[in-house]
Amino acid sequence: TDEERSKSGIIYIALQEAAAIFPEKGAAFTANHVKQMIEEVLKAEKIDAKVKVFDGLLVDFIKNEKIDILLRGLRAVSDYEYELQFTLTNETLAKSEFETIFLSASREYLYLSSSLVKEIAINGGELDKFVPECIEGIIMRKINESKK
């Protein structure tokens, strides 16, 4: 339908450049590890997009990269509260015009977090239901290295 083409067009345009933020606190992976995993998933899904790592404020990155649309993922109501606060703060700090679009996770992943995936991996659980096959090995290697 026209509506589906319109939505996919927005997402396609936005995914020409994918940006990732990597908080330092409690991170199991470095920014470069996360970048590598995102690139592996994009490649496996045949999505032609660039992943850029940056330090500093998101609004500065948005301005410098001339980004018009920011996609943010939501899992639960608690995510919405945080994301709304984040978005309103970004609008206050913004140095250029951009739109924030929220995408909700599919029902099967609403409960899933990186902390939960890490816990499953540390305890020898199967990751195949939670992460793409192309990065499962990367996660397990990192977990096994950290156990040594």
Side-chain angles (χ1 to χ4, degrees):
T1 69
D2 287 338
E3 182 180 348
E4 287 171 336
R5 276 192 290 279
S6 175
K7 285 181 184 176
S8 67
I10 289 171
I11 293 169
Y12 172 75
I13 291 166
L15 282 178
Q16 286 179 358
E17 291 202 21
I21 303 170
F22 309 102
E24 297 291 325
K25 182 180 170 188
F29 295 94
T30 66
N32 286 329
H33 279 115
V34 175
K35 180 180 185 224
Q36 177 191 2
M37 287 189 287
I38 293 170
E39 288 171 339
E40 289 294 326
V41 172
L42 292 172
K43 181 179 167 186
E45 295 293 326
K46 296 179 177 52
I47 297 172
D48 184 22
K50 296 175 189 157
V51 180
K52 296 185 178 185
V53 177
F54 67 95
D55 288 321
L57 294 173
L58 178 60
V59 291
D60 292 334
F61 180 79
I62 287 170
K63 180 182 181 203
N64 294 339
E65 297 294 320
K66 297 176 177 58
I67 294 171
D68 300 311
I69 299 169
L70 175 64
L71 297 177
R72 302 289 292 180
L74 298 174
R75 291 173 298 178
V77 173
S78 57
D79 281 355
Y80 178 74
E81 291 170 2
Y82 170 79
E83 292 295 340
L84 181 60
Q85 179 184 17
F86 188 82
T87 297
L88 294 174
T89 303
N90 280 340
E91 287 176 3
T92 301
L93 295 173
K95 298 169 182 161
S96 61
E97 293 285 323
F98 68 94
E99 285 294 322
T100 301
I101 297 175
F102 296 107
L103 299 174
S104 63
S106 50
R107 183 176 293 180
E108 63 190 314
Y109 299 114
L110 285 175
Y111 64 92
L112 196 58
S113 68
S114 60
S115 300
L116 188 54
V117 169
K118 179 181 170 184
E119 191 69 25
I120 293 166
I122 287 171
N123 290 291
E126 295 180 15
L127 294 179
D128 61 332
K129 294 176 180 67
F130 307 109
V131 300
E133 182 181 344
C134 61
I135 64 167
E136 189 175 346
I138 297 169
I139 293 170
M140 291 311 299
R141 276 192 299 280
K142 178 69 175 171
I143 295 299
N144 290 333
E145 285 172 11
S146 67
K147 287 181 177 180
K148 293 179 181 178

